[in-house]
Amino acid sequence: MLIRQLYDHDTFSFSYLLADLQTKTAMIIDPVKERLSLYLQLLEEFELSLHYAIDTHLHADHITGMGALREATSCKTLVGQSSKMDCADEQFADNDIIHCGNIILRALYTPGHTNDSYSFYLEENNGMPPCVFTGDTLFIRGTGRTDFMGGSSEDLYNSLFSQLLTLPDHTIVYPGHDYKGMNQSTIGEEKQHNPRLQVKNWQELAAIMDGLNLANPKKFTVAISANAKCGEVP
Amino acid sequence: MLIRQLYDHDTFSFSYLLADLQTKTAMIIDPVKERLSLYLQLLEEFELSLHYAIDTHLHADHITGMGALREATSCKTLVGQSSKMDCADEQFADNDIIHCGNIILRALYTPGHTNDSYSFYLEENNGMPPCVFTGDTLFIRGTGRTDFMGGSSEDLYNSLFSQLLTLPDHTIVYPGHDYKGMNQSTIGEEKQHNPRLQVKNWQELAAIMDGLNLANPKKFTVAISANAKCGEVP
């Protein structure tokens, strides 16, 4: 079992290559279109067959590499059933299991950043601690924003407290972005030290989120329309 | 035992926080001055006492955070005995052991990028695979340059093939920089897939290195003079 965290410097985005080295099958979570050659290089070096390209949600800050990977490798593209991405081959719902070789990934519906946000949980395996790929729902010492695309601070609060924070404390958190220089954490650590998880109710979280006043991401318009077509730029 | 890879986006540099969570003692390898507040935040969150700030070599591309950490935490600053950094509290030599709580780090003299470059090896521990912090000697699918500060392709070849590549294949490689979007590898993987490790002798490596024609790093002049004083900018 191989997990590789890959970084797109231009958009501060993490993608994840997950591979079962026995069956030589792999999936990539949240691929970035401009990093296609890196993904293909790693697939070739590890002699992997890519089964799935998966997005945690319809991204507004980078163009998904799902379509480009499908074209290059014939993999299937997967998105959550709440995503408006008709281009995808298959959809998953809350608690669905995604199999890839011996990798068993559980989809968790975690709306809040957007109304189509999912996280993915990988159980403890062969001494490797459990992991959760949190997309833009939970960042290290932060969270995704909630001010567009069906975002909701109440949903985010529920996704964090009723879904992600109920995972074992030693679960490794692999986020969708990093802006601060940290690339890994644990659920226990975030519970204790993430400022947005020190709130008592969703209204307190909403007060934090409402005060952020963030500008739209640089690629906002082009990303949303392209990503609805799995990354095809008109 | 905790290992955290920390990233400075401005200079593409990795620093490493290593902590023994039993004795609550820590060291930081290759701190970047501008990231001081992140290091102090993590030390406080984990309730760690910083024993050492260590540089793998005198950096030419960023200003070391060793001095700032010493001032903020009263830690000791450590450099290799080949480093011209009189400001440091202690020096280590090839094969010296650096103790910090239950962390046992072995210094490996790996000149080539500069003539004062060291790597640090951490043995397998409690099911955690061995790790090597390679500074600018070995990058993922690359190496540091060899065209200034006592750099030498012949030295680099020897450091790579006679030191680093003799470590167990499953040793995790933690490099000093990443420009390509990869933050972790293994010795076995680099042996197989790093283009600069496919050479038969130092002359072949020198031919690659001589063809690079790299510009000096942006902070070259200020970094070298500041780093000779542990990061004090005149």
Side-chain angles (χ1 to χ4, degrees):
Chain A
M1 173 81 194
L2 177 95
I3 299 176
R4 281 296 159 84
Q5 184 182 52
L6 306 168
Y7 194 55
D8 178 54
H9 291 95
D10 293 338
T11 60
F12 302 85
S13 305
F14 287 122
S15 307
Y16 295 91
L17 170 67
L18 276 62
D20 172 9
L21 296 175
Q22 282 186 324
T23 61
K24 293 282 184 186
T25 51
M27 58 173 98
I28 297 181
I29 298 174
D30 284 338
V32 175
K33 190 171 186 175
E34 286 79 1
R35 295 283 85 75
L36 177 68
S37 63
L38 173 62
Y39 310 140
L40 297 179
Q41 174 198 325
L42 289 171
L43 292 171
E44 192 185 329
E45 287 175 351
F46 288 111
E47 297 171 354
L48 296 169
S49 161
L50 187 67
H51 278 211
Y52 295 124
I54 312 182
D55 269 1
T56 50
H57 63 292
L58 197 152
H59 297 282
D61 53 3
H62 66 265
I63 296 173
T64 178
M66 284 200 306
L69 278 169
R70 177 168 57 186
E71 201 161 304
T73 70
S74 303
C75 71
K76 286 194 171 164
T77 56
L78 260 66
V79 297
Q81 65 174 13
S82 312
S83 273
K84 290 184 186 68
M85 296 168 86
D86 298 338
C87 57
D89 299 302
E90 289 179 18
Q91 296 193 321
F92 51 81
D94 189 33
N95 259 314
D96 274 1
I97 298 292
I98 301 163
H99 288 271
C100 174
N102 294 307
I103 301 170
I104 298 172
L105 206 65
R106 185 153 57 92
L108 305 173
Y109 182 45
T110 53
H113 166 59
T114 64
N115 58 10
D116 73 335
S117 288
Y118 289 77
S119 300
F120 301 108
Y121 182 67
L122 193 63
E123 279 190 17
E124 197 141 6
N125 181 345
N126 233 334
M128 206 184 68
C131 306
V132 62
F133 303 89
T134 56
D136 293 5
T137 303
L138 177 62
F139 295 153
I140 300 177
R141 312 294 193 270
T143 67
R145 60 198 290 172
T146 54
D147 57 338
F148 55 52
M149 300 180 69
S152 149
S153 300
E154 184 171 1
D155 286 350
L156 184 62
Y157 180 88
N158 291 329
S159 294
L160 293 168
F161 285 84
S162 305
Q163 286 264 41
L164 298 182
L165 299 195
T166 65
L167 299 173
D169 273 359
H170 66 299
T171 304
I172 294 175
V173 172
Y174 284 119
H177 290 283
D178 166 62
Y179 307 95
K180 298 174 182 168
M182 293 182 280
N183 57 23
Q184 211 181 93
S185 181
T186 65
I187 286 292
E189 193 180 317
E190 291 309 305
K191 254 185 210 170
Q192 232 185 317
H193 300 301
N194 189 320
R196 296 191 193 170
L197 300 181
Q198 310 311 313
V199 296
K200 289 190 194 67
N201 50 50
W202 75 261
Q203 289 89 346
E204 279 188 30
L205 182 61
I208 297 175
M209 303 310 289
D210 291 347
L212 295 178
N213 287 317
L214 299 167
N216 273 349
K218 274 187 292 185
K219 300 191 180 181
F220 190 71
T221 314
V222 63
I224 291 175
S225 61
N227 290 341
K229 296 179 179 179
C230 287
E232 198 183 298
V233 181
Chain B
M1 172 83 192
L2 176 95
I3 299 177
R4 280 296 158 84
Q5 184 182 53
L6 306 168
Y7 193 55
D8 177 55
H9 291 95
D10 293 338
T11 60
F12 302 86
S13 305
F14 287 122
S15 308
Y16 295 91
L17 169 67
L18 276 63
D20 172 8
L21 296 176
Q22 282 187 322
T23 60
K24 293 283 184 185
T25 51
M27 57 172 99
I28 296 180
I29 298 174
D30 284 339
V32 174
K33 190 171 184 174
E34 287 79 2
R35 295 283 86 75
L36 177 69
S37 62
L38 174 61
Y39 310 140
L40 296 180
Q41 174 197 325
L42 290 170
L43 292 171
E44 193 186 326
E45 287 175 351
F46 288 112
E47 297 173 351
L48 296 169
S49 161
L50 187 67
H51 278 211
Y52 296 124
I54 312 182
D55 269 2
T56 51
H57 63 293
L58 197 152
H59 298 281
D61 53 4
H62 66 264
I63 297 174
T64 178
M66 283 200 306
L69 278 169
R70 177 169 56 186
E71 202 161 305
T73 71
S74 304
C75 71
K76 286 193 171 167
T77 55
L78 260 66
V79 298
Q81 64 175 14
S82 310
S83 272
K84 290 184 187 69
M85 296 167 85
D86 298 338
C87 57
D89 298 302
E90 290 179 19
Q91 296 193 321
F92 51 81
D94 188 33
N95 259 314
D96 275 1
I97 298 292
I98 300 162
H99 289 271
C100 174
N102 294 307
I103 302 169
I104 298 170
L105 206 66
R106 185 153 56 91
L108 306 173
Y109 182 44
T110 53
H113 166 60
T114 63
N115 58 9
D116 73 334
S117 288
Y118 289 76
S119 299
F120 302 108
Y121 181 66
L122 193 63
E123 281 191 15
E124 198 141 2
N125 180 345
N126 233 334
M128 207 185 66
C131 307
V132 63
F133 303 89
T134 57
D136 293 6
T137 303
L138 177 63
F139 295 153
I140 300 175
R141 312 296 193 268
T143 67
R145 61 199 291 172
T146 55
D147 57 340
F148 54 53
M149 300 180 68
S152 151
S153 300
E154 185 172 1
D155 286 350
L156 183 64
Y157 180 87
N158 291 329
S159 294
L160 293 167
F161 284 85
S162 305
Q163 285 264 44
L164 299 182
L165 298 195
T166 65
L167 298 174
D169 273 358
H170 66 301
T171 304
I172 295 175
V173 173
Y174 284 120
H177 290 283
D178 166 62
Y179 307 95
K180 298 174 184 171
M182 292 182 280
N183 57 22
Q184 211 181 95
S185 182
T186 64
I187 287 292
E189 193 181 319
E190 292 309 306
K191 257 184 206 168
Q192 232 185 316
H193 301 300
N194 188 320
R196 298 192 192 167
L197 300 180
Q198 310 311 313
V199 296
K200 288 190 193 67
N201 49 50
W202 76 260
Q203 289 89 346
E204 279 188 29
L205 182 60
I208 297 175
M209 303 311 288
D210 291 347
L212 295 178
N213 288 319
L214 299 168
N216 273 349
K218 273 188 291 184
K219 299 190 179 180
F220 191 69
T221 314
V222 63
I224 291 175
S225 60
N227 289 343
K229 297 179 180 181
C230 288
E232 199 182 296
V233 181

